Amino acid sequence: MKTQRPITSDSEHVVLKFRPRTSAQPPGKREEPIRSARPAPVANDLSRYDKPRDEPDDFRQRMLANIAAFAFTVALTAIGIWLAMSIADLRKTQDCLQMGRRDCAKISVAPRS
């Protein structure tokens, strides 16, 4: 079997020289940068967002909120695990039934005493 190769010519292989950018303007435009009359702004700090507190922090309320958030997270995780396991169990049962087997259902028998 003969392999097909593309026809190549020397005009297809061209090496382009890339020069690093020295300014933010495209290379075609060389304009004088605009200078503003006002000085450059100083970097903003976060001190303007500081608020003086009239009352101290309520640590008890914060701890109760943290405990409630942790309990909610644990409950949500437990529900997710239970849901994943029940879906897996239903999938196993459905696969068993689709194979035509008849002993797929789990039968729990109480022990006799």
Side-chain angles (χ1 to χ4, degrees):
M1 186 169 154
K2 190 175 177 182
T3 60
Q4 295 180 352
R5 293 187 181 176
I7 301 171
T8 60
S9 64
D10 291 334
S11 64
E12 289 182 11
H13 304 285
V14 178
V15 177
L16 300 176
K17 292 183 181 180
F18 289 101
R19 287 174 277 167
R21 293 183 181 178
T22 56
S23 67
Q25 296 178 353
K29 293 184 178 179
R30 292 287 180 185
E31 295 179 9
E32 193 66 28
I34 300 172
R35 294 189 179 131
S36 62
R38 51 188 182 138
V42 179
N44 293 333
D45 59 353
L46 298 177
S47 64
R48 66 180 176 174
Y49 296 110
D50 281 344
K51 294 180 184 176
R53 300 216 181 241
D54 298 334
E55 57 194 49
D57 285 339
D58 189 3
F59 291 109
R60 183 169 188 238
Q61 181 183 2
R62 189 185 304 174
M63 289 302 292
L64 289 175
N66 287 343
I67 290 170
F70 179 72
F72 178 74
T73 304
V74 168
L76 198 60
T77 303
I79 290 170
I81 291 171
W82 171 78
L83 186 61
M85 293 188 68
S86 65
I87 289 173
D89 187 39
L90 286 173
R91 184 182 60 200
K92 286 179 188 176
T93 304
Q94 188 177 24
D95 288 345
C96 180
L97 288 172
Q98 285 180 350
M99 284 191 292
R101 296 176 60 188
R102 295 181 185 220
D103 57 345
C104 299
K106 293 181 181 178
I107 301 174
S108 59
V109 178
R112 295 185 185 183
S113 325

Coordinates of all heavy atoms in Angstrom, one line a residue, residues 54-103:
D54 N -19.0 49.9 67.6 CA -19.6 50.4 68.8 C -19.7 49.4 69.9 O -19.6 49.8 71.1 CB -21.1 50.9 68.4 CG -21.1 52.0 67.4 OD1 -20.1 52.7 67.3 OD2 -22.1 52.1 66.6
E55 N -19.8 48.2 69.5 CA -19.9 47.1 70.6 C -18.8 46.0 70.2 O -18.5 45.8 69.1 CB -21.3 46.5 70.6 CG -21.7 46.0 69.3 CD -23.2 45.7 69.3 OE1 -24.0 46.6 69.7 OE2 -23.6 44.6 68.9
P56 N -18.3 45.3 71.2 CA -17.4 44.3 70.9 C -18.0 43.1 70.2 O -19.2 42.9 70.2 CB -16.8 43.9 72.3 CG -17.9 44.3 73.2 CD -18.6 45.5 72.6
D57 N -17.2 42.2 69.6 CA -17.7 41.0 68.9 C -18.4 40.1 70.0 O -17.9 40.0 71.1 CB -16.5 40.3 68.3 CG -16.1 41.0 67.0 OD1 -16.8 41.8 66.5 OD2 -14.9 40.7 66.6
D58 N -19.4 39.5 69.5 CA -20.1 38.5 70.3 C -19.6 37.1 69.9 O -20.1 36.5 69.0 CB -21.6 38.6 70.1 CG -22.4 37.8 71.0 OD1 -21.8 37.2 72.0 OD2 -23.7 37.7 70.9
F59 N -18.6 36.7 70.7 CA -17.9 35.4 70.4 C -18.9 34.2 70.6 O -18.8 33.2 69.9 CB -16.7 35.2 71.2 CG -15.6 36.2 70.8 CD1 -15.3 37.2 71.7 CD2 -14.9 36.0 69.6 CE1 -14.3 38.1 71.3 CE2 -13.9 36.9 69.3 CZ -13.6 38.0 70.1
R60 N -19.8 34.3 71.5 CA -20.7 33.2 71.8 C -21.6 33.0 70.6 O -21.8 31.9 70.1 CB -21.5 33.5 73.0 CG -22.5 32.3 73.4 CD -23.1 32.5 74.8 NE -23.8 31.3 75.1 CZ -25.1 31.3 75.4 NH1 -25.7 32.4 75.5 NH2 -25.6 30.2 75.7
Q61 N -22.1 34.1 70.0 CA -23.0 34.0 68.9 C -22.2 33.5 67.7 O -22.7 32.7 66.9 CB -23.6 35.4 68.5 CG -24.5 35.3 67.3 CD -25.0 36.7 67.0 OE1 -24.7 37.7 67.6 NE2 -25.9 36.7 65.9
R62 N -21.0 33.9 67.5 CA -20.2 33.4 66.4 C -19.9 31.9 66.5 O -19.9 31.2 65.5 CB -18.8 34.2 66.4 CG -18.0 33.9 65.1 CD -16.7 34.5 65.1 NE -16.8 36.0 65.3 CZ -15.7 36.7 65.4 NH1 -14.5 36.2 65.4 NH2 -15.8 38.0 65.5
M63 N -19.6 31.5 67.7 CA -19.3 30.0 67.9 C -20.6 29.2 67.7 O -20.5 28.1 67.1 CB -18.8 29.8 69.4 CG -17.4 30.3 69.6 SD -16.2 29.6 68.4 CE -16.2 27.9 69.0
L64 N -21.8 29.7 68.1 CA -23.0 29.0 67.8 C -23.3 28.9 66.3 O -23.7 27.9 65.8 CB -24.2 29.7 68.6 CG -24.2 29.5 70.1 CD1 -25.3 30.3 70.7 CD2 -24.3 28.0 70.4
A65 N -23.0 30.0 65.6 CA -23.2 30.0 64.2 C -22.2 29.0 63.5 O -22.6 28.3 62.6 CB -23.0 31.4 63.6
N66 N -21.0 28.9 64.0 CA -20.0 28.0 63.5 C -20.4 26.6 63.7 O -20.3 25.7 62.9 CB -18.6 28.2 64.1 CG -18.0 29.5 63.5 OD1 -18.4 30.0 62.5 ND2 -17.0 30.0 64.2
I67 N -21.0 26.3 64.9 CA -21.4 24.9 65.2 C -22.6 24.6 64.4 O -22.7 23.4 63.9 CB -21.8 24.8 66.7 CG1 -20.5 24.9 67.6 CG2 -22.5 23.6 67.1 CD1 -20.7 25.0 69.0
A68 N -23.5 25.5 64.2 CA -24.7 25.2 63.3 C -24.2 25.0 61.9 O -24.8 24.1 61.2 CB -25.7 26.4 63.4
A69 N -23.3 25.7 61.4 CA -22.8 25.5 60.0 C -22.1 24.2 59.9 O -22.2 23.5 58.9 CB -21.8 26.6 59.6
F70 N -21.3 23.8 60.9 CA -20.6 22.5 60.9 C -21.7 21.3 60.9 O -21.5 20.4 60.2 CB -19.7 22.4 62.1 CG -19.0 21.1 62.2 CD1 -18.0 20.8 61.3 CD2 -19.3 20.1 63.1 CE1 -17.3 19.6 61.3 CE2 -18.6 18.9 63.2 CZ -17.6 18.6 62.3
A71 N -22.7 21.5 61.8 CA -23.7 20.4 61.8 C -24.5 20.3 60.5 O -24.8 19.2 60.1 CB -24.7 20.8 63.0
F72 N -24.8 21.4 59.9 CA -25.4 21.4 58.6 C -24.5 20.7 57.5 O -25.0 19.9 56.7 CB -25.7 22.8 58.1 CG -26.4 22.9 56.8 CD1 -27.7 22.5 56.6 CD2 -25.6 23.4 55.7 CE1 -28.3 22.6 55.3 CE2 -26.2 23.4 54.4 CZ -27.5 23.0 54.3
T73 N -23.2 21.0 57.6 CA -22.3 20.4 56.6 C -22.2 18.9 56.9 O -22.2 18.1 55.9 CB -20.9 21.0 56.8 OG1 -21.0 22.4 56.6 CG2 -19.9 20.5 55.8
V74 N -22.2 18.5 58.1 CA -22.1 17.0 58.4 C -23.4 16.3 58.0 O -23.4 15.3 57.4 CB -21.9 16.8 59.9 CG1 -22.1 15.4 60.3 CG2 -20.4 17.2 60.3
A75 N -24.6 17.0 58.2 CA -25.8 16.4 57.8 C -25.9 16.3 56.3 O -26.4 15.3 55.8 CB -27.0 17.2 58.4
L76 N -25.5 17.3 55.6 CA -25.5 17.3 54.2 C -24.6 16.2 53.6 O -24.9 15.5 52.6 CB -25.1 18.7 53.6 CG -25.5 19.0 52.2 CD1 -27.0 19.0 52.0 CD2 -24.9 20.4 51.8
T77 N -23.4 16.0 54.2 CA -22.5 15.0 53.8 C -23.1 13.6 54.0 O -23.0 12.7 53.2 CB -21.2 15.1 54.5 OG1 -20.6 16.4 54.3 CG2 -20.2 14.1 54.1
A78 N -23.7 13.4 55.2 CA -24.3 12.1 55.5 C -25.5 11.8 54.5 O -25.6 10.7 54.1 CB -24.8 12.1 57.0
I79 N -26.3 12.8 54.2 CA -27.4 12.6 53.3 C -26.8 12.2 51.9 O -27.3 11.3 51.2 CB -28.3 13.8 53.2 CG1 -29.1 13.9 54.5 CG2 -29.2 13.8 52.0 CD1 -29.8 15.2 54.7
G80 N -25.8 12.9 51.5 CA -25.1 12.6 50.2 C -24.6 11.2 50.2 O -24.7 10.5 49.1
I81 N -23.9 10.7 51.2 CA -23.4 9.4 51.3 C -24.5 8.4 51.2 O -24.5 7.4 50.5 CB -22.5 9.2 52.5 CG1 -21.2 10.0 52.3 CG2 -22.2 7.7 52.7 CD1 -20.4 10.1 53.6
W82 N -25.6 8.6 52.0 CA -26.7 7.7 52.0 C -27.4 7.6 50.6 O -27.7 6.5 50.2 CB -27.8 8.2 53.1 CG -29.1 7.4 53.0 CD1 -29.3 6.2 53.4 CD2 -30.2 7.9 52.3 NE1 -30.6 5.8 53.1 CE2 -31.2 6.8 52.4 CE3 -30.6 9.0 51.6 CZ2 -32.5 7.0 51.9 CZ3 -31.8 9.1 51.1 CH2 -32.8 8.1 51.2
L83 N -27.5 8.8 50.0 CA -28.1 8.8 48.7 C -27.3 8.0 47.7 O -27.8 7.3 46.8 CB -28.3 10.2 48.2 CG -29.1 10.5 46.9 CD1 -30.5 9.9 47.0 CD2 -29.1 12.0 46.6
A84 N -26.0 8.2 47.7 CA -25.1 7.5 46.8 C -25.2 6.0 47.0 O -25.2 5.2 46.0 CB -23.7 8.0 46.9
M85 N -25.2 5.6 48.3 CA -25.3 4.1 48.5 C -26.6 3.5 48.1 O -26.7 2.4 47.6 CB -25.0 3.9 50.0 CG -23.5 4.2 50.4 SD -23.0 3.8 52.0 CE -23.0 2.0 51.9
S86 N -27.7 4.3 48.3 CA -29.0 3.7 47.9 C -29.1 3.7 46.4 O -29.7 2.7 45.9 CB -30.1 4.6 48.5 OG -30.1 5.9 48.0
I87 N -28.5 4.6 45.7 CA -28.6 4.6 44.2 C -27.7 3.4 43.7 O -28.1 2.7 42.8 CB -28.0 5.9 43.7 CG1 -29.1 7.0 43.9 CG2 -27.7 5.8 42.2 CD1 -28.6 8.4 43.5
A88 N -26.6 3.2 44.4 CA -25.8 2.0 44.0 C -26.5 0.7 44.2 O -26.4 -0.2 43.4 CB -24.4 2.0 44.7
D89 N -27.2 0.6 45.4 CA -28.0 -0.6 45.7 C -29.1 -0.8 44.6 O -29.4 -1.9 44.2 CB -28.6 -0.5 47.1 CG -29.2 -1.8 47.5 OD1 -28.7 -2.9 47.2 OD2 -30.3 -1.8 48.2
L90 N -29.8 0.3 44.3 CA -30.9 0.2 43.3 C -30.3 -0.2 41.9 O -30.9 -1.0 41.2 CB -31.6 1.5 43.2 CG -32.6 1.8 44.3 CD1 -33.1 3.2 44.2 CD2 -33.7 0.8 44.4
R91 N -29.1 0.3 41.6 CA -28.5 -0.1 40.3 C -28.2 -1.6 40.3 O -28.4 -2.3 39.3 CB -27.3 0.8 40.1 CG -26.6 0.5 38.8 CD -25.4 1.3 38.6 NE -24.4 0.9 39.6 CZ -23.4 1.6 40.0 NH1 -23.2 2.8 39.4 NH2 -22.6 1.2 40.9
K92 N -27.6 -2.1 41.4 CA -27.3 -3.5 41.5 C -28.6 -4.4 41.3 O -28.6 -5.4 40.6 CB -26.7 -3.9 42.8 CG -25.2 -3.4 42.9 CD -24.7 -3.8 44.3 CE -23.3 -3.2 44.5 NZ -22.8 -3.5 45.9
T93 N -29.7 -4.0 42.0 CA -30.9 -4.7 41.9 C -31.5 -4.7 40.5 O -31.9 -5.7 39.9 CB -31.9 -4.2 42.9 OG1 -31.4 -4.2 44.2 CG2 -33.2 -5.0 42.9
Q94 N -31.4 -3.5 39.9 CA -31.9 -3.3 38.5 C -31.1 -4.2 37.5 O -31.6 -4.8 36.6 CB -31.9 -1.9 38.1 CG -32.6 -1.6 36.8 CD -32.6 -0.1 36.5 OE1 -31.8 0.6 37.0 NE2 -33.6 0.3 35.6
D95 N -29.8 -4.2 37.7 CA -28.9 -5.0 36.8 C -29.2 -6.5 37.0 O -29.2 -7.2 36.0 CB -27.4 -4.7 37.1 CG -26.9 -3.4 36.7 OD1 -27.7 -2.7 35.9 OD2 -25.9 -2.9 37.1
C96 N -29.5 -6.9 38.2 CA -29.8 -8.3 38.4 C -31.1 -8.7 37.7 O -31.2 -9.7 37.1 CB -29.9 -8.5 39.9 SG -30.3 -10.2 40.4
L97 N -32.1 -7.8 37.8 CA -33.4 -8.0 37.2 C -33.3 -8.0 35.7 O -34.0 -8.8 35.0 CB -34.4 -7.0 37.7 CG -34.9 -7.2 39.1 CD1 -35.8 -6.0 39.5 CD2 -35.7 -8.5 39.3
Q98 N -32.5 -7.2 35.1 CA -32.3 -7.1 33.7 C -31.6 -8.3 33.1 O -31.8 -8.6 32.0 CB -31.6 -5.8 33.3 CG -32.4 -4.6 33.4 CD -31.7 -3.3 33.0 OE1 -30.5 -3.4 32.8 NE2 -32.4 -2.2 32.9
M99 N -30.8 -9.0 34.0 CA -30.2 -10.2 33.5 C -31.2 -11.4 33.5 O -30.8 -12.5 33.1 CB -29.0 -10.5 34.4 CG -27.8 -9.7 34.1 SD -26.3 -10.2 34.9 CE -26.6 -10.0 36.6
G100 N -32.3 -11.2 34.1 CA -33.3 -12.3 34.1 C -33.3 -13.1 35.3 O -34.0 -14.1 35.4
R101 N -32.6 -12.8 36.3 CA -32.5 -13.5 37.6 C -33.8 -13.2 38.4 O -34.4 -12.2 38.3 CB -31.3 -13.2 38.3 CG -30.0 -13.6 37.5 CD -28.8 -13.2 38.2 NE -28.7 -13.8 39.6 CZ -27.7 -13.5 40.4 NH1 -26.8 -12.7 40.1 NH2 -27.7 -14.1 41.6
R102 N -34.1 -14.2 39.3 CA -35.3 -14.0 40.1 C -35.0 -13.9 41.6 O -35.9 -13.6 42.4 CB -36.3 -15.2 39.9 CG -36.8 -15.2 38.5 CD -37.7 -16.3 38.3 NE -38.1 -16.4 36.8 CZ -39.3 -16.6 36.4 NH1 -40.2 -16.9 37.3 NH2 -39.6 -16.7 35.2
D103 N -33.8 -14.1 41.9 CA -33.4 -14.0 43.4 C -32.7 -12.7 43.7 O -31.7 -12.7 44.4 CB -32.6 -15.2 43.7 CG -31.3 -15.3 42.9 OD1 -31.3 -14.6 41.8 OD2 -30.4 -16.0 43.2

